[in-house]
Amino acid sequence: MTEAYQPGKRNLITDVAGLRVGHAADARIKTGATVLTGDTPFTAGVQVMGGAPGTRETDLLAPDKTVQEVDALVLSGGSAFGLDAASGVADTLRVSGRGFAIGPVPVPIVPGAILFDLANGGAKDWPENPYKRLGAEALEAAAPDFALGTEGAGTGAMTAGLKGGIGSASLVLPTGHVVGALVAVNALGSAIVGKGPQFWAAPFEIGDEFGGLGLAPAAPPLAPHIKGRDPGNTTIGIVATDAALTQAQCTRLATAAHDGLARALVPAHTPLDGDLIFATATGEKPLDDPLADMLLLGHAAAICVARAIARGVYEARAEAGDLKPCWRARFG
């Protein structure tokens, strides 16, 4: 990593100025929601590369669609039930007057994605879907600083052998652009090499942000470590930049960011994962050289995603009723 590639002051996606992140969780259910929003609407794209996704309003993010900006993005647990988290966000934004103007009514544009955490040891006997409430609470909590690990959409997440979690990371590029990532890690595969404790993302670590353990001492096993054959997996995330990008360029940024997912989780993009990454651009800084700058932005997005995944697993904490240990309990 060259000196020019350094984290922003928070090492969070909110190093992209104007963005805020909020979490909400229910410890009894072992689930939660995470919301990214901004001071103003922002351009967004998406790329889905897993075989079992769960999404809301992602069709709107295609470059040929009428609406080009969104008001918030939602990551949630709960499988299909969790899609309702975006409804809670949309309701709250409408009350504040945010949204795409259609006649007298603002319609908030709130795409979302979910992960499966319905078999993680939490109580799932709710009488009423809790995710609308969790979405609204996460939006109300949105701020530049936020916690990592067992928080928000990462509250009930698991990987092969360890708890998952929610992670974030950022980079400042030589061009002055800032790139950040926010990822909820609930993968079929593993974030650690073999029996650990080293992370697959180790080549991209900055300082000791996920332990500073360096590379695994031996070649990794060819047979992957996975949860099993159930479809209850998905790693979902957001990459963001302050660059001025079109929706098509955001889509390309999301595509490049998936490289980071594959560097940090093995295996990745399986038929039993719903791996998805949103990409957002606040438009504060123009591109001086669109081709060269997009290359750097995509490279940085992949690095941030890999680091965010490792940080999410590294920062997870042990809680009552866990079905799997957290990284710190096992190796810390």
Side-chain angles (χ1 to χ4, degrees):
M1 188 75 63
T2 66
E3 186 176 352
Y5 284 69
Q6 292 297 319
K9 64 178 182 179
R10 297 184 180 91
N11 198 17
L12 299 172
I13 195 171
T14 46
D15 285 323
V16 176
L19 295 183
R20 291 171 281 120
V21 169
H23 298 310
D26 188 311
R28 177 177 177 273
I29 302 174
K30 284 188 176 293
T31 194
T34 296
V35 175
L36 179 139
T37 190
D39 297 336
T40 59
F42 44 87
T43 306
V46 68
Q47 181 62 271
V48 182
M49 296 186 72
T55 62
R56 165 185 158 133
E57 290 197 320
T58 50
D59 283 354
L60 284 175
L61 304 183
D64 63 331
K65 299 301 184 286
T66 299
V67 177
Q68 295 288 300
E69 295 180 318
V70 305
D71 297 289
L73 294 170
V74 179
L75 308 178
S76 178
S79 189
F81 300 105
L83 293 174
D84 212 30
S87 296
V89 174
D91 284 354
T92 305
L93 288 170
R94 184 195 64 80
V95 171
S96 66
R98 286 283 296 269
F100 185 75
I102 303 177
V105 180
V107 179
I109 307 301
V110 187
I114 50 87
L115 55 80
F116 185 97
D117 58 3
L118 299 181
N120 63 2
K124 305 300 189 290
D125 57 349
W126 60 74
E128 182 179 351
N129 188 321
Y131 289 96
K132 189 172 184 178
R133 167 181 59 83
L134 289 169
E137 291 175 359
L139 179 64
E140 292 292 342
D145 291 299
F146 58 94
L148 304 182
T150 307
E151 305 284 347
T155 297
M158 297 186 292
T159 69
L162 293 174
K163 288 186 70 172
I166 195 155
S168 190
S170 69
L171 281 177
V172 180
L173 304 188
T175 59
H177 295 105
V178 179
V179 176
L182 175 71
V183 187
V185 188
N186 186 66
L188 178 77
S190 177
I192 58 173
V193 182
K195 296 182 179 180
Q198 290 84 6
F199 287 90
W200 288 104
F204 308 99
E205 185 176 15
I206 299 176
D208 60 354
E209 60 188 349
F210 43 90
L213 300 177
L215 302 178
L222 295 182
H225 183 197
I226 62 175
K227 288 179 184 175
R229 295 180 61 84
D230 67 85
N233 317 284
T234 285
T235 296
I236 49 179
I238 304 166
V239 294
T241 180
D242 55 5
L245 303 184
T246 65
Q247 206 163 36
Q249 288 171 320
C250 281
T251 303
R252 175 48 48 188
L253 186 65
T255 302
H258 271 280
D259 287 355
L261 195 153
R263 294 168 186 169
L265 293 168
V266 177
H269 305 134
T270 77
L272 301 177
D273 285 284
D275 297 339
L276 171 151
I277 295 179
F278 294 107
T280 69
T282 62
E284 293 300 313
K285 297 178 182 177
L287 302 181
D288 294 327
D289 183 337
L291 286 178
D293 289 350
M294 280 300 299
L295 186 154
L296 289 180
L297 290 170
H299 176 58
I303 291 173
C304 286
V305 166
R307 293 164 52 224
I309 288 170
R311 293 189 80 196
V313 174
Y314 177 74
E315 296 289 352
R317 64 180 181 271
E319 295 193 324
D322 286 346
L323 299 184
K324 296 185 179 183
C326 64
W327 188 95
R328 290 177 184 271
R330 186 172 171 187
F331 303 113

